[in-house]
Amino acid sequence: MIQRRIILGLLLIICFSCSQDGTEETSNACNLIDCAPVSLGLEFVAADTGEDLFFNDTFSISDLKIINTQTNQTIDFGVGTLGSGDRTLITLPTFLESSDLENYQILITDVFEVAFSFTVEVISDPCCLGNVYTNVALDAESVTIENTNFGTYRLLF
């Protein structure tokens, strides 16, 4: 019973000792907003086992190419990890303008070639800058796509 009173007392002291100035309240308000992801993320996964195909060395990141088929330019993509580091996340650059249709070719020469398209809406307000992706689709015979999180998609080979 004494431990509960001590803990309650400490919690009350912590709560009432916090600063309440207006600047801090404004910045904390932005922390409460769940913003859209900044960029679109792709995972490359074996459909039958769920294994990450870059992590298990089935595919090599150095061989991966993503090409914007509208401009015929190779896209510089980001590479990161998810979870405990056994998931590779490929991220497209952040879009600064909304687009009704983005078309890309994702490929590793002599291994696979996938047509990839989506719509992107840029969200910008005082607290957030991000992209919202819709109409995400693949055009490939043996590859499917699933949405794992908001803005993260898994390509199943």
Side-chain angles (χ1 to χ4, degrees), residues 47-138:
D48 55 347
T49 64
E51 284 185 278
D52 183 285
L53 297 171
F54 288 114
F55 186 74
N56 72 8
D57 293 327
T58 299
F59 298 154
S60 171
I61 291 175
S62 63
D63 295 333
L64 180 67
K65 291 183 184 176
I66 301 177
I67 300 168
N68 181 322
T69 59
Q70 294 156 315
T71 63
N72 206 27
Q73 292 183 335
T74 301
I75 302 301
D76 291 328
F77 54 86
V79 179
T81 57
L82 291 173
S84 61
D86 60 350
R87 291 276 183 208
T88 305
L89 184 67
I90 304 299
T91 55
L92 296 181
T94 302
F95 289 85
L96 302 176
E97 294 180 14
S98 297
S99 172
D100 289 334
L101 184 62
E102 289 291 321
N103 289 304
Y104 292 86
Q105 197 71 26
I106 302 172
L107 64 107
I108 293 180
T109 306
D110 298 328
V111 178
F112 71 85
E113 189 170 324
V114 175
F116 180 63
S117 63
F118 56 91
T119 301
V120 63
E121 178 186 358
V122 174
I123 304 297
S124 178
D125 65 38
C127 295
C128 296
L129 170 65
N131 297 157
V132 175
Y133 305 95
T134 56
N135 304 319
V136 178
L138 287 181

